[in-house]
Amino acid sequence: MAGSPTGAGTTTPGPRADHEIPAYLERLGLPGLADIHVHFLPPRMLEKVWEYFDDAEARYGWPWPIPNIPYPYAHQIEALARLGLGDGWMRQVLWENGARLLGLAR
C-alpha cells in the first residue's frame, strides 16, 4: 500500500527508452537484468518454438545465443519452486495467468 513502511504498493516509474535502463536499475538498487522464463505450451506448439530457435542462424545469420534446454514440465516446475517465490506466485504464474488468458478464470 502506498505510504506503508515497506513501500508495498509503490512503484518506480520504468524506463521509456533503452538508454534509460541503467539509471532505472540504479534507482532500484539492482546490478542488472535477466530474462528468465519458461514456455508452458502444448507439446506440439513447444516443438515449433524449439524449431524456431534452433533455426536462428538461417533466420538471423548467427546461432541463437541463449541456451534452449527443453526440460520436461515437472523439471521446470521443480526449478521454479526452488526459487522460493511462494505458493501464491507459483499459482499465479502456473495457473491463474493461463486461465485468465484462456477465459477460464473463475
Side-chain angles (χ1 to χ4, degrees):
M1 297 184 177
S4 72
T6 63
T10 62
T11 61
T12 299
R16 298 178 66 85
D18 289 349
H19 72 276
E20 297 175 350
I21 293 173
Y24 176 67
L25 295 177
E26 187 174 326
R27 286 193 309 274
L28 294 175
L30 297 174
L33 290 177
D35 174 6
I36 302 170
H37 67 277
V38 294
H39 294 129
F40 288 103
L41 303 168
R44 285 181 39 193
M45 186 180 291
L46 188 59
E47 287 174 25
K48 294 294 183 188
V49 169
W50 293 127
E51 287 173 16
Y52 185 88
F53 290 132
D54 289 342
D55 198 29
E57 191 161 9
R59 293 175 186 278
Y60 312 117
W62 59 84
W64 190 248
I66 302 169
N68 293 303
I69 306 168
Y71 290 115
Y73 284 144
H75 180 89
Q76 295 178 47
I77 291 169
E78 290 167 3
L80 288 172
R82 284 194 303 271
L83 293 175
L85 299 170
D87 291 342
W89 185 89
M90 294 286 287
R91 186 173 34 262
Q92 177 70 39
V93 169
L94 299 174
W95 171 253
E96 293 172 7
N97 286 344
R100 187 183 69 251
L101 290 170
L102 296 172
L104 302 173
R106 297 182 214 177

